[in-house]
C-alpha cells in the first residue's frame, strides 16, 4: 500500500474535467485507489466521489493505492496532478 | 455512414400532379412538354428575358409569368410581342406558369404550341406560387440518405439509434414502444435534409412500421400496438450509438463537452452508449431524451453543476 500527498496546482481545482481525467487514469489500474481531502476519503474511480472533495487550487489531497500495480498507478496520478496539472492553467 | 441517394430530376408531369393540392395548376394549351425534365429547385420569373435580354436567362428552370410579364407583353405591338415570345420560347423551357389568372396574349399561346411548351394557369399570386412550389421542389431536391438504424420519438425527441448489426437497436426500439413511445422507422431510416440544418427521418414505403425481431421474424407494430405506437416522420434531435462495451474504450463520464456527429452536413448531438448485460438501456434512452429537451432549453446539468463547484472551490477559506 502506498500513500502520497499531492498539491492541486491548477487554478480551478478538481472540477468536472480534471475529475474526469483523474477517474479515467485511476480506472486503468487494477489496484484499489482512494483519494481524500481533510479526512474525507472517496474512491478515485468514481466521478461523483472525486467531485465531492471540492479540492480547489492549493489544497492537498492524499492518494492511497493498494494492489499489484500500485507503483505505476501512483506515478501516473502524480504526473497528472503535479506535472501536467490536469493540462489546465 | 451510407451512400447519398439523389433524385436527379422530375418531369413537368410530376410537378403538375404532385403540386396540384398546393397550387392547382390548370393546363392552358396542351401536355406537350410534360416529358421535359426539371433538374433544379429554383424557379425563374421570365421578366427581362421578354425584353430581349437573354444573356443570363436561366431558361432550364420553371418559368413564372405574373402581372408584370403579361402586362408588359400586352403593351407591345403585336409584331414585337411575337418577337419577344419567339426569343424566350426558343429556349428549351420546361413549362410556363401564368399566375393571377392572367390571360396570355394569343402570340404566347401560339408560339408555345409551335414549340411544344406547356402553359399552366393558376389563380394564385406570383409570390404564393413561388412559395408553394419552392416548398415542394425543396423536398424533391433535398439531400437524402439512408441510415441503418431505428428512429423513435421519445417524449417528442427524435432519437436515431445506430450501432452494428445484432447489437439490439430493434430490441431497444421495441422496448421504447412498449413504454408508450412512437416508432418512426426500424432498420432502414430514410433521411431528408430540410433547409440547412434539420434532418427528417421516415420509414421506407415497403417496410413502413414493420420490424424484424431475431428469433421471431417480422412483426407489424401498428397492428400489434395500435396507431398511437407509430409516427410517419420525425425531425432527428439526437443520435444514440449503441456499442459493445469494451474494457479498453473510455466512455463519457461528465457530459460537460458534447459530442456531435455529422449527417448530410448537419451536426447532431451524439451519445455513445456502451451495452452491458443487466443495464437498462431503455430507461437510459428515456433519460437521454429528457436531458436533450433540457439542453434544447439551454439547461445543461453538467455545465451548471461544474460552474457551481468551481465557484464554491474558489470561495474563502477553501485551501
Amino acid at each position: 500500500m502506498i500513500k502520497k500527498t499531492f498539491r492541486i496546482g491548477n487554478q480551478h481545482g478538481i472540477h468536472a474535467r480534471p475529475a474526469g481525467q483523474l477517474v479515467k487514469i485511476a480506472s486503468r489500474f487494477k489496484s484499489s485507489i482512494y483519494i481524500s481531502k481533510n479526512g474525507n476519503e472517496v474512491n478515485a474511480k468514481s466521478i461523483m466521489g472525486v467531485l465531492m472533495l471540492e479540492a480547489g487550487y492549493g489544497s492537498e489531497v492524499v492518494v492511497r493505492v493498494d494492489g499489484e500495480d500500485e507503483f505505476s498507478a501512483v506515478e501516473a496520478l502524480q504526473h497528472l496532478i503535479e506535472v501536467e496539472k490536469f493540462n489546465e492553467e | 455512414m451510407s451512400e447519398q441517394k439523389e433524385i436527379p430530376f422530375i418531369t413537368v408531369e410530376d410537378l403538375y400532379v404532385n403540386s396540384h393540392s398546393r397550387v392547382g395548376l390548370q393546363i392552358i394549351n396542351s401536355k406537350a412538354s410534360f416529358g421535359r425534365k426539371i433538374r433544379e429547385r429554383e424557379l425563374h420569373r421570365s421578366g427581362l428575358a421578354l425584353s430581349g435580354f437573354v444573356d443570363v436567362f436561366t431558361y432550364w428552370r420553371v418559368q413564372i409569368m405574373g402581372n408584370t410579364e403579361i402586362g408588359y407583353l400586352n403593351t407591345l405591338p403585336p409584331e414585337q410581342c411575337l418577337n419577344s415570345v419567339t426569343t424566350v420560347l426558343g429556349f428549351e423551357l420546361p413549362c410556363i406558369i401564368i399566375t393571377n389568372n392572367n390571360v396570355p396574349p394569343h402570340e404566347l399561346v401560339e408560339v408555345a404550341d409551335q414549340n411544344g411548351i406547356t402553359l399552366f394557369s393558376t389563380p394564385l399570386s406570383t409570390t404564393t406560387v413561388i412559395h408553394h412550389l419552392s416548398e415542394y421542389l425543396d423536398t424533391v431536391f433535398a439531400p437524402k440518405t439512408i441510415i441503418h438504424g431505428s428512429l423513435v420519438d421519445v417524449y417528442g425527441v427524435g432519437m436515431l439509434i445506430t450501432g452494428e448489426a445484432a447489437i439490439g437497436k430493434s430490441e431497444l426500439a421495441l422496448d421504447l414502444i412498449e413504454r408508450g413511445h412512437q416508432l418512426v422507422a426500424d432498420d432502414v431510416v430514410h433521411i431528408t435534409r430540410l433547409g440547412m440544418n434539420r434532418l427528417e427521418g421516415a420509414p421506407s414505403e415497403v417496410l413502413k412500421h414493420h420490424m424484424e425481431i431475431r428469433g421471431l421474424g417480422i412483426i407489424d407494430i401498428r397492428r400489434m400496438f395500435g396507431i398511437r405506437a407509430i409516427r410517419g416522420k420525425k425531425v432527428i434531435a439526437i443520435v444514440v450509438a449503441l456499442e459493445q462495451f469494451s474494457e479498453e474504450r473510455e466512455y463519457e463520464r461528465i457530459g460537460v463537452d458534447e459530442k456531435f456527429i455529422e449527417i448530410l452536413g448537419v451536426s447532431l448531438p451524439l451519445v455513445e452508449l456502451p451495452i452491458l448485460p443487466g443495464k437498462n438501456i431503455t430507461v437510459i434512452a428515456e433519460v437521454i431524451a429528457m436531458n436533450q429537451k433540457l439542453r434544447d432549453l439551454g439547461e445543461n446539468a453538467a455545465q451548471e453543476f461544474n460552474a457551481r463547484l468551481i465557484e464554491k472551490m474558489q470561495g474563502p477559506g477553501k485551501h
Side-chain angles (χ1 to χ4, degrees):
Chain A
M1 205 257 288
I2 307 176
K3 219 170 169 178
K4 211 158 182 186
T5 304
F6 301 125
R7 187 174 286 275
I8 305 300
N10 64 313
Q11 202 192 327
H12 287 316
I14 304 187
H15 64 97
R17 239 177 246 117
Q21 295 177 53
L22 196 140
V23 168
K24 205 184 263 184
I25 286 176
S27 302
R28 289 178 192 158
F29 297 95
K30 290 204 176 79
S31 300
S32 315
I33 306 178
Y34 299 92
I35 179 166
S36 62
K37 198 194 103 184
N38 299 338
N40 290 322
E41 190 176 72
V42 297
N43 191 330
K45 296 178 185 178
S46 144
I47 287 275
M48 299 313 260
V50 171
L51 288 172
M52 193 217 77
L53 293 178
E54 295 178 29
Y57 173 75
S59 61
E60 282 186 344
V61 293
V62 180
V63 171
R64 186 166 66 87
V65 189
D66 191 10
E68 49 184 285
D69 49 7
E70 54 190 35
F71 284 102
S72 30
V74 167
E75 203 176 315
L77 290 171
Q78 176 165 23
H79 190 75
L80 175 72
I81 300 172
E82 293 194 332
V83 179
E84 293 185 339
K85 296 186 177 148
F86 300 104
N87 301 301
E88 284 189 359
E89 283 181 20
Chain B
M1 216 153 175
S2 78
E3 96 273 32
Q4 189 155 329
K5 201 186 77 182
E6 294 259 17
I7 299 174
F9 65 83
I10 57 164
T11 61
V12 172
E13 183 172 14
D14 293 330
L15 177 82
Y16 172 68
V17 173
N18 296 323
S19 72
H20 195 81
S21 61
R22 301 169 202 239
V23 266
L25 297 177
Q26 300 292 324
I27 302 164
I28 295 178
N29 54 349
S30 70
K31 296 182 173 180
S33 64
F34 262 35
R36 289 197 185 171
K37 291 167 182 172
I38 302 166
R39 299 178 189 277
E40 265 192 43
R41 60 166 292 280
E42 315 292 338
L43 303 164
H44 183 69
R45 285 201 66 170
S46 307
L48 274 180
L50 289 169
S51 74
F53 180 66
V54 289
D55 291 10
V56 290
F57 181 33
T58 50
Y59 61 86
W60 55 88
R61 296 176 180 166
V62 173
Q63 301 294 312
I64 311 277
M65 292 194 187
N67 294 341
T68 317
E69 285 81 2
I70 301 302
Y72 171 71
L73 288 176
N74 283 335
T75 63
L76 298 178
E79 212 170 294
Q80 245 182 292
C81 177
L82 183 64
N83 263 337
S84 167
V85 295
T86 307
T87 308
V88 170
L89 274 63
F91 289 89
E92 181 95 358
L93 313 177
C95 62
I96 298 171
I97 297 173
I98 297 167
T99 62
N100 277 315
N101 270 340
N102 273 297
V103 179
H106 64 88
E107 290 89 347
L108 178 56
V109 183
E110 281 156 21
V111 177
D113 280 341
Q114 282 165 24
N115 297 3
I117 296 170
T118 298
L119 297 177
F120 292 110
S121 160
T122 168
L124 302 176
S125 77
T126 304
T127 328
T128 314
V129 169
I130 289 178
H131 176 77
H132 288 308
L133 284 185
S134 296
E135 202 178 67
Y136 162 65
L137 291 172
D138 270 350
T139 338
V140 171
F141 291 110
K144 292 180 175 68
T145 188
I146 295 174
I147 278 182
H148 179 60
S150 300
L151 180 59
V152 185
D153 177 334
V154 185
Y155 296 128
V157 176
M159 181 181 288
L160 178 66
I161 303 160
T162 64
E164 49 192 81
I167 197 155
K169 298 182 292 292
S170 298
E171 288 74 11
L172 172 56
L174 188 62
D175 221 5
L176 286 165
I177 294 162
E178 172 67 35
R179 292 171 68 98
H181 304 290
Q182 297 169 309
L183 177 75
V184 182
D186 184 58
D187 214 34
V188 175
V189 185
H190 289 258
I191 295 177
T192 307
R193 191 178 84 198
L194 307 176
M196 288 313 287
N197 52 15
R198 290 197 315 150
L199 297 177
E200 188 178 73
S204 75
E205 267 312 305
V206 188
L207 303 179
K208 268 277 158 73
H209 298 97
H210 288 80
M211 192 182 247
E212 189 229 326
I213 297 295
R214 271 177 196 75
L216 180 62
I218 294 170
I219 57 170
D220 181 344
I221 295 298
R222 187 185 158 168
R223 197 172 296 170
M224 200 173 271
F225 293 91
I227 195 78
R228 73 180 173 92
I230 58 161
R231 208 189 143 106
K233 54 190 179 182
K234 179 76 190 172
V235 170
I236 302 169
I238 191 161
V239 178
V240 174
L242 302 184
E243 294 176 5
Q244 214 64 257
F245 178 79
S246 146
E247 288 280 357
E248 276 79 56
R249 202 159 146 359
E250 280 156 352
Y251 299 95
E252 183 58 50
R253 302 285 298 264
I254 307 273
V256 171
D257 304 310
E258 291 168 62
K259 278 194 180 163
F260 292 92
I261 182 170
E262 204 164 281
I263 301 172
L264 293 176
V266 178
S267 200
L268 289 172
L270 168 72
V271 176
E272 293 162 315
L273 209 55
I275 303 285
L276 271 171
K279 196 157 148 180
N280 193 333
I281 293 289
T282 313
V283 171
I284 296 172
E286 285 180 333
V287 169
I288 289 172
M290 292 188 279
N291 201 40
Q292 187 56 35
K293 281 181 105 167
L294 286 170
R295 284 186 178 186
D296 289 345
L297 293 174
E299 296 178 34
N300 185 319
Q303 280 170 9
E304 284 166 32
F305 173 88
N306 200 33
R308 266 202 315 276
L309 179 70
I310 290 174
E311 201 180 334
K312 198 154 176 256
M313 285 191 297
Q314 285 174 342
K318 275 292 163 192
H319 288 190

